[in-house]
Amino acid sequence: MREFPKEFLLGGATADFQYEGGFNEGGRGLHSHDFETSGSVDCLRQISLKLKDGSRGTVNYRDSLPDGAEARLYDDIYYPSHQATDFFNHVEEDIGLMAEMGFQVYRFSICWSRIYPTGDEDMPNEEGLEFYDKVIDELLKNNIEPMITICHDELPFYLCKTYDGWSSRHVIDCYVKYAKTLFERYKGKVKYWITFNEINAVGGYAQIGTHKQDHQTHYQAVHHMFVASSKAIQLGHQIMPESMFGTMFALSEIYPATCHPEDIFAAYQKRRESLFFVDVMARGKYPNYTKEIFERKNIHIIKEKDDDQWIKDYPLDFISFSYYRSTIADRHSTFDIMGGDVNPYLELTPWGWPVDPLGLRYCLNELYDRYQKPLFVVENGLGAVDILEKDGSIHDDYRIQYVNDHLAQIRDAITIDHVPCFGYTMWGWIDVVSLSTGEMKKRYGFVYVDMDDNGKGSLKRYKKDSFYWFQKVIKSQGKIIHGGKE
Ligand code: BG6
């Protein structure tokens, strides 16, 4: 029986706008996800708008806003992130559940607009900081290592409206000021920091705050995020010498659809477009092939004199990533980082995501071969419909199977391939609102939250069968996981 190394951390992950709620409490400002409606697998979420002529409108959450339109809230629309699954009012109870499972780590994001309501203030909102003081102290009391995502795909609405989000360099300064506030407040308490979530997959007004979503705007915005990340790492190391910094990348594998050389090369190029972001942030420079991508997409990055130096001097200490699925590409594929074609050898989840545990071992090996930095799987999990039985039980053997099979591959990558992966946080350890569809019925958790797609329900927490199973996984440090090369 093999187990994870003693120092391997097991736990769960969430993001504030999917979990925290309390959108108008404690002085929190509006942020970019507050305007998203709920949706479904066939109709993705929309951003509610006031159009140029004053009338109401909506736009798909990853599309450009129509000219002159601005995000706007309406009383008769349901916005899932406002309440989410209400961590705001369940801090002790939920951390108690984490502790009962034996969590060694909890990855969560801080809501930027709870700390700087507009993003542009000189002084932070003390009440917002007090909320996270409570969360962090409660975690530490329960021996759970906090891992903080500074920015999980969101920014204060004021920065989107006034500066066009990350297309403006001014937002770099706002981000660094916000990060510095967190470092000064949580030094000595928080060691692991993630500067951005899925930086290689962000897109749309809600995630980067830009009104337009063309390639030029997008890559320029991401360049600003690269610089902001490096500046935060410099400050973070200075304020907290023991700290370790990562950025999170969406790295679901991309395989060639056939062994036709053109398909192999096409898949390689697609993968590289995704790894481009890791190359810049882990190796500290724009790689040579950037020129080809930028020429093809007609991108001209405007840089300031010191930008490249910042990126070079302050690369990542570790690489964290999400892995949910794999995908295939051939010479005709047109998808752009997200999406992709379906592998005929793999089964799909009810939301159409191919399930591929071995792809995770492949990915861990690929990343370590390429970067030689410690790795952390900060998101992985299964979105499924769960049934709450009359006696309060939930029999989610499909989730146990999914998480077991992925953990088995991580264990193989560590114990057989000697890849230094130092932890795993299961995504949505408690049910949260889905990022892409805004649904509640797409559930990931070990803990069920009584709430439906319209935000109705008691918010009561119920332990699923997977809760008790994961408790045993942690207790045995992974020994009870089966599969992989036993
Ligand atoms: C990742 C995000 O892309 O995938 C999470 O970092 C998200 O925020 C997760 O929730 C799963 O996606 P979804 O759409 O099923 O919630």
Side-chain angles (χ1 to χ4, degrees), residues 14-15 17-18 61 107 152-153 197-198 201 207 248 250 322 324 338 351 353 379 381 383 427-428 432-439 442 444:
T14 57
F17 66 91
Q18 294 170 267
Y61 82 111
R107 171 193 173 227
H152 192 119
D153 310 351
N197 185 66
E198 292 196 342
Q207 299 191 345
M248 195 277 225
S322 64
Y324 288 94
M338 292 297 270
W351 272 262
W353 293 15
E379 279 189 34
W427 172 254
V432 297
V433 170
S434 157
L435 168 82
S436 54
T437 67
E439 291 168 302
K442 187 180 189 188
Y444 284 86

Side-chain angles (χ1 to χ4, degrees), residues 470-481:
F470 199 60
Q471 194 176 45
K472 290 193 203 120
V473 170
I474 298 180
K475 199 151 186 235
S476 68
Q477 198 63 2
K479 257 194 218 140
I480 66 144
I481 292 162

